[in-house]
Amino acid sequence: MWIAIIDDINAEQRHMALLVEKALEEMHLCPCEICFFNSAEHYLSQNDGKKFDLIILDIFMDWMTGIDLAKEIRKVDKDVHIVFFSSSNDFATESYNVCASYYIQKPVTKEKVVQMLEKIRIADEGKDIYITLQDKRRILVNGIICAEYNDHVLTVFCKNQGVIRVRMAFNQLVEDLKPFPFFQVCNRGTLVNMNEIEAFEKNLIKMSQGKVVAVSRRKLNEVNVKYQDFLFEKARREMG
């Protein structure tokens, strides 16, 4: 994850960065790369076209406010998450006009940063988020269909990246995907992305692209309940 922090006070920049890093670690999310900018002008002149996943900026800055900068950012990037932090909540309404993902009122704490990152994570549900395998290859989270572990080899079936094999512990993959509730373990060495389930009959799950996964007898009731809950929550969100 690439993050930009924009504030004209260096101490505030470093404090925010520290809280973000601690929050990501606590949430078992991948480490981030953070770039610092001392003003809106600095960001606009020095960004060099780098595409960020998250931009965190102070509202009160010299020359150009955070709101004005967000308007400029939105002209070229409609998708990046923008988060404001400020000592006042007077600009909360304006922040929604630039489709801000979150608004943090100072003092900024780790708990507030965790809440912000959790909201963004749920909104994305794995979109454009990668995990890193044991051999340093990166795979897109929402591109994973399912994974199988056999004879010390982890095989990951992906929608766009094909079949990836790596010597890596199955439990490590489960841990890396823990922040994303749409993954479910079906037996001691199989995991599925419930977004990719096409049919669930008896103890067999038919995945997208024709992959079929068996559910162990011990896990059958748990997986069925989790899948029904997943479908209910998905329908609720789609209905608004």
Side-chain angles (χ1 to χ4, degrees):
M1 177 184 289
W2 283 91
I3 299 175
I5 297 178
I6 308 170
D7 194 333
D8 51 8
I9 301 176
N10 289 339
E12 296 278 0
Q13 289 180 359
R14 302 298 169 178
H15 178 61
M16 177 63 77
L18 180 62
L19 294 179
V20 168
E21 290 171 345
K22 287 183 176 180
L24 288 170
E25 182 179 359
E26 180 177 300
M27 297 169 69
H28 304 288
L29 294 178
C30 298
C32 61
E33 295 287 341
I34 299 178
C35 296
F36 298 99
F37 299 92
N38 296 322
S39 65
E41 183 180 29
H42 183 204
Y43 174 86
L44 292 173
S45 63
Q46 299 296 321
N47 181 29
D48 296 329
K50 183 182 294 295
K51 185 171 177 61
F52 291 98
D53 303 294
L54 170 62
I55 299 176
I56 305 173
L57 63 159
D58 192 7
I59 285 183
F60 297 105
M61 294 186 291
D62 293 335
W63 184 72
M64 178 184 283
T65 68
I67 295 291
D68 290 332
L69 174 58
K71 291 177 182 178
E72 293 300 312
I73 293 171
R74 282 290 178 238
K75 291 179 182 179
V76 296
D77 194 334
K78 304 295 184 183
D79 300 319
V80 63
H81 289 290
I82 295 177
V83 170
F84 294 105
F85 65 100
S86 172
S87 57
S88 168
N89 63 2
D90 293 342
F91 293 88
T93 301
E94 289 187 60
S95 72
Y96 292 111
N97 293 333
V98 291
C99 301
S101 299
Y102 209 79
Y103 191 104
I104 301 176
Q105 187 169 356
K106 295 180 181 179
V108 182
T109 64
K110 187 188 70 173
E111 289 70 29
K112 291 179 181 179
V113 174
V114 167
Q115 291 173 5
M116 175 267 290
L117 291 172
E118 179 67 13
K119 180 178 179 181
I120 289 174
R121 181 191 66 78
I122 292 173
D124 281 344
E125 288 196 332
K127 179 183 176 182
D128 298 331
I129 298 177
Y130 290 81
I131 61 170
T132 303
L133 300 177
Q134 195 74 39
D135 60 2
K136 306 305 181 184
R137 280 182 291 178
R138 300 170 74 231
I139 55 176
L140 188 64
V141 168
N142 68 351
I144 298 173
I145 298 173
C146 60
E148 296 175 341
Y149 182 77
N150 185 47
D151 196 23
H152 305 292
V153 175
L154 181 69
T155 303
V156 185
F157 299 85
C158 304
K159 289 188 288 187
N160 299 317
Q161 294 175 272
V163 179
I164 298 174
R165 293 181 174 85
V166 59
R167 285 192 169 272
M168 174 177 171
F170 179 70
N171 288 342
Q172 182 60 57
L173 178 68
V174 174
E175 185 67 23
D176 290 344
L177 295 176
K178 186 181 292 185
F180 309 101
F182 47 91
F183 286 100
Q184 174 62 41
V185 174
C186 296
N187 54 55
R188 293 180 63 182
T190 306
L191 171 145
V192 300
N193 179 349
M194 290 189 286
N195 286 302
E196 300 300 319
I197 294 178
E198 295 184 348
F200 190 172
E201 299 178 0
K202 297 183 179 179
N203 70 322
L204 296 178
I205 298 176
K206 182 181 178 182
M207 308 298 298
S208 61
Q209 299 189 4
K211 182 66 178 173
V212 177
V213 174
V215 183
S216 69
R217 181 181 301 177
R218 183 177 62 86
K219 298 280 290 185
L220 186 57
N221 184 65
E222 175 191 335
V223 174
N224 186 55
V225 170
K226 290 287 184 64
Y227 184 53
Q228 294 305 317
D229 290 345
F230 167 79
L231 292 178
F232 177 81
E233 182 63 21
K234 183 177 180 181
R236 188 186 66 80
R237 290 200 306 268
E238 289 176 351
M239 292 175 64

